[in-house]
Amino acid sequence: MTELLNIGRNRAQESTNAIERMYITMRHLFIRGFYKPMGVSGETLREALLTLRPEIYGSIGESKVELSGLQYIIERLPEGIEECSFINLTSDEGYSNSHFKPIIPPKRRRNCYRIDEEQMNIEITRGRSEIYDILTHLTFMFIESHKIMQNVVINEAGHTSRDWEKLSVAVSKFGDLTQKEKEIAITHTANILGRTFAEINQVYDRFATLENPNKFLHLIHSLGKLAIREAIRGDKRVITFSPIVRERLGHHIHGEVWANTIKKTLHKHGLLNRKLHIISANMHSVMNTLYSPLALEDMLKEKSNFEVYEQLSNAKNDKLRETVTKKALQEGMITLDDKSGTNIDVQIFDLAKLSHYKGDKGLNGKKDAPVIIVMDYAFGEQAYETMDELLKPYKDKEEQVYMNVDSISIMGKAGILQGGKGDLMIPDAHLFEGTADNYPFPNELKKSDFEGQGLGVYDGSMVTVLGTSLQNRDLLKFFHDSTWNVIGLEMEGAHYQKAIQAAAKLRSNISPEVKLRYAYYASDNPLETGSTLASGGLGTAGVKPTYLITEKILEQIFNDAVQNLKS
């Protein structure tokens, strides 16, 4: 038993060391300004990732090409990046005012620009975490591309296999492939990837787009083509960092503009001196919880709240969502679409204009009614930048106006280390991975608040990780089994708490008595095979936990507000 524990500990230590090497290397390469991912300069990154073998990247350490991991990164990188030999990470440098059309990845809100056939520019406006995320995904993509190359190049002269020639013919065909042509191409591709026909068939449509239903074939061909060119002709792919992004990183440029816009809007509408409740969440759950009972009253006579929320979450029900949004705008909602580059939209709710909440009209028309600020999800270290700037006092001419922040609530998705997708985590501390930093806090939300709802509920510590795509089973199992009592992992908690504690207890920007509410719902379980982020999203299974947390946060805000008005 002791020997098994030591093996587990050693693997966890190896994983920790690999993560540290990756981040030190990434910072070094960023300062240097460029590197070749499959050259000598990228060797440390490749070796560390292969040592780590994160769960999300599946079979990265094997000769067969990893399919689910490939789908995961392609959804988070710009369309066409697999065709580019030159990838340039930039700041917001004016491309939005050019003829270049922004390319926004489906699962990551960032502007990217295809400069020409060979070059892709990716805008970095969300801090170091965004750079780490991109470089990790690119390293994985390049490793997989070289697997393809090694499986098709048959001699030193650069001759390729028959399977590769057949795939090349299929992707060069104009128009749609017939079912027969598609299945022949899949057969050859399966040989190239070291996968079965059934495995390729299963994932094929997940890569498809409206413009290119055969995108999977084109993706594999483009990755292999550049890797072959690199191996045979020495045309190395290059990643560069623009001088502007290297100069601006860490200076809170985008966060400051974002926060000032919010405070100017509060001042303009006479809300700056009211009690403020900040919620980090998505852009639909608070609005739907507050206003769907008003806008969809007839529907709620026949359906439960959660059935209505599910319909509102369906992308096909645009008109239904428009009905709720229209009602919200009539009764106190102000929307701030982001123009700062943070990619964090904001909603402001003046509860004095809300006609009633669950039948209670207690706050309607009251000049002291609180205001709710909902900010969309931050990304990694960006959480510190945005919260730090938001909690600073507003400068009105020469006067500093301190905001009356009564509570801060953080609702988010996280990986769970026990239980399954959709279950809830109620933390009492955040531990920052790779450091000795830990942030215990009193959480207004309790495990008992969510019991009896048909979902698993767990309380304990959460690990704030440097990147969800770098976690492996051994490291997470160590966290879970240790006396740290870790229940899950996410990317923002410690960064939010660092900013909140500094504002409340050191800089006196907000009250030290500010109420904190943290709750997460499980998007994946990285300790369970087939339940990682690469296995797909929550779908409608995420509706119930999202709205349970939202309702509990709002219930506490309203109860406090009514009590304050009575006193």
Side-chain angles (χ1 to χ4, degrees):
M1 176 65 83
T2 304
E3 189 175 339
L4 287 173
L5 287 172
N6 286 336
I7 290 170
R9 188 181 296 113
N10 288 339
R11 286 176 181 165
Q13 288 169 343
E14 284 177 8
S15 301
T16 300
N17 290 337
I19 291 174
E20 286 178 4
R21 284 202 310 277
M22 284 200 73
Y23 281 97
I24 290 168
T25 303
M26 284 191 231
R27 290 195 178 203
H28 165 73
L29 295 173
F30 175 74
I31 293 167
R32 182 187 183 201
F34 74 96
Y35 77 103
K36 297 175 181 178
M38 299 309 292
V40 175
S41 52
E43 188 174 2
T44 304
L45 278 185
R46 299 196 308 272
E47 288 180 351
L49 197 59
L50 288 167
T51 299
L52 193 59
R53 297 189 185 188
E55 298 305 306
I56 211 165
Y57 294 148
S59 58
I60 185 175
E62 302 173 29
S63 59
K64 60 185 179 182
V65 172
E66 166 59 30
L67 300 177
S68 294
L70 198 57
Q71 181 195 351
Y72 179 82
I73 66 148
I74 288 302
E75 290 175 339
R76 288 155 178 79
L77 293 172
E79 178 81 24
I81 195 166
E82 69 278 1
E83 302 169 0
C84 297
S85 299
F86 300 93
I87 298 167
N88 188 24
L89 274 57
T90 74
S91 181
D92 180 358
E93 298 178 21
Y95 290 103
S96 59
N97 299 320
S98 69
H99 76 280
F100 296 113
K101 185 179 178 182
I103 305 168
I104 302 173
K107 297 292 180 71
R108 283 284 186 268
R109 289 169 300 166
R110 56 172 68 108
N111 291 330
C112 310
Y113 300 92
R114 185 73 177 265
I115 304 303
D116 53 36
E117 288 185 1
E118 295 183 311
Q119 181 176 334
M120 180 74 73
N121 281 15
I122 302 175
E123 272 188 7
I124 303 297
T125 59
R126 307 176 82 175
R128 289 187 182 89
S129 296
E130 190 166 24
I131 293 176
Y132 301 155
D133 185 60
I134 291 167
L135 294 189
T136 306
H137 292 333
L138 289 176
T139 302
F140 167 76
M141 187 178 80
F142 292 136
I143 289 172
E144 297 303 301
S145 75
H146 269 241
K147 288 184 191 177
I148 297 169
M149 178 271 296
Q150 288 161 356
N151 288 341
V152 300
V153 174
I154 57 179
N155 58 35
E156 292 182 0
H159 296 143
T160 52
S161 66
R162 178 174 177 271
D163 289 317
W164 181 256
E165 303 306 324
K166 293 292 184 180
L167 175 59
S168 299
V169 170
V171 299
S172 63
K173 183 181 183 294
F174 290 102
D176 293 336
L177 297 176
T178 65
Q179 185 65 20
K180 180 180 177 181
E181 290 171 329
K182 173 184 165 184
E183 290 185 352
I184 290 172
I186 288 175
T187 300
H188 293 296
T189 306
N191 289 336
I192 292 168
L193 303 184
R195 294 286 183 173
T196 66
F197 178 89
E199 285 175 320
I200 305 295
N201 221 16
Q202 189 177 12
V203 302
Y204 195 89
D205 289 337
R206 295 185 204 163
F207 288 83
T209 62
L210 289 174
E211 300 79 18
N212 187 2
N214 300 306
K215 181 183 174 181
F216 181 79
L217 299 179
H218 289 263
L219 172 67
I220 298 303
H221 188 262
S222 295
L223 289 173
K225 182 181 174 182
L226 290 186
I228 292 168
R229 187 188 301 171
E230 189 163 334
I232 303 304
R233 289 168 35 187
D235 295 341
K236 299 288 187 185
R237 286 167 283 188
V238 179
I239 294 176
T240 56
F241 307 90
S242 79
I244 304 300
V245 75
R246 290 157 66 199
E247 177 188 322
R248 289 180 177 176
L249 193 71
H251 289 184
H252 289 202
I253 291 169
H254 302 287
E256 183 178 10
V257 173
W258 173 83
N260 284 341
T261 300
I262 296 169
K263 286 177 267 196
K264 283 177 184 175
T265 304
L266 291 170
H267 182 65
K268 175 184 172 183
H269 291 270
L271 306 175
L272 198 58
N273 294 314
R274 303 256 286 271
K275 276 199 173 181
L276 303 174
H277 298 270
I278 299 168
I279 303 176
S280 171
N282 52 58
M283 287 289 100
H284 56 78
S285 59
V286 173
M287 179 180 72
N288 289 344
T289 304
L290 289 174
Y291 297 101
S292 61
L294 308 176
L296 307 175
E297 190 175 358
D298 292 337
M299 183 182 288
L300 281 162
K301 290 176 182 176
E302 301 174 0
K303 298 178 184 292
S304 71
N305 285 1
F306 289 110
E307 287 174 325
V308 171
Y309 295 148
E310 276 196 18
Q311 291 202 23
L312 286 166
S313 300
N314 190 325
K316 297 177 182 177
N317 293 329
D318 286 336
K319 289 186 178 178
L320 205 62
R321 289 201 298 274
E322 285 173 10
T323 302
V324 177
T325 303
K326 183 179 178 182
K327 189 67 175 177
L329 291 169
Q330 290 171 351
E331 295 202 9
M333 182 176 81
I334 302 165
T335 60
L336 297 176
D337 294 332
D338 180 64
K339 295 177 182 176
S340 68
T342 61
N343 285 308
I344 299 177
D345 295 334
V346 172
Q347 296 164 329
I348 298 171
F349 300 94
D350 179 0
L351 298 185
K353 294 182 180 178
L354 182 68
S355 54
H356 67 85
Y357 179 62
K358 294 186 176 181
D360 189 343
K361 300 181 180 181
L363 299 180
N364 182 246
K366 299 290 192 296
K367 63 180 181 179
D368 294 328
V371 172
I372 295 175
I373 302 168
V374 178
M375 55 181 285
D376 208 346
Y377 297 119
F379 187 74
E381 290 185 15
Q382 187 191 33
Y384 175 78
E385 175 180 340
T386 49
M387 189 61 74
D388 181 60
E389 292 296 333
L390 182 57
L391 298 181
K392 288 178 181 178
Y394 173 63
K395 292 182 180 178
D396 181 23
K397 297 178 182 176
E398 297 301 316
E399 183 186 3
Q400 283 198 334
V401 181
Y402 289 85
M403 297 189 298
N404 186 7
V405 178
D406 192 61
S407 77
I408 300 172
S409 303
I410 311 296
M411 176 181 79
K413 292 184 290 188
I416 197 167
L417 300 186
Q418 58 189 109
K421 289 186 176 185
D423 287 346
L424 302 177
M425 291 157 278
I426 312 300
D428 53 23
H430 285 104
L431 318 175
F432 191 17
E433 179 187 47
T435 73
D437 298 351
N438 54 82
Y439 301 91
F441 56 87
N443 195 344
E444 296 291 313
L445 298 175
K446 306 298 177 188
K447 180 180 177 181
S448 57
D449 293 332
F450 301 96
E451 291 177 329
Q453 299 292 335
L455 297 174
V457 189
Y458 305 90
D459 57 4
S461 304
M462 299 284 289
V463 174
T464 298
V465 297
L466 295 163
T468 53
S469 59
L470 288 184
Q471 304 313 301
N472 75 347
R473 187 184 301 270
D474 299 309
L475 184 58
L476 296 176
K477 197 169 186 311
F478 170 77
F479 274 129
H480 180 251
D481 295 344
S482 72
T483 54
W484 287 109
N485 188 30
V486 171
I487 54 173
L489 64 146
E490 48 75 60
M491 284 185 65
E492 291 80 31
H495 301 298
Y496 276 131
Q497 195 57 27
K498 181 165 63 172
I500 293 166
Q501 286 185 193
K505 299 184 178 181
L506 296 174
R507 306 170 78 174
S508 300
N509 287 339
I510 60 174
S511 167
E513 305 303 317
V514 62
K515 300 180 185 72
L516 302 177
R517 301 182 181 96
Y518 283 85
Y520 300 91
Y521 58 95
S523 57
D524 63 299
N525 185 334
L527 290 180
E528 281 187 12
T529 302
S531 295
T532 68
L533 283 170
S535 66
L538 274 168
T540 55
V543 172
K544 186 173 183 178
T546 299
Y547 282 92
L548 275 175
I549 295 170
T550 305
E551 287 191 341
K552 184 55 65 174
I553 290 171
L554 290 176
E555 178 187 311
Q556 292 192 1
I557 289 172
F558 274 86
N559 286 345
D560 288 350
V562 171
Q563 285 295 115
N564 288 333
L565 288 175
K566 285 180 180 177
S567 60

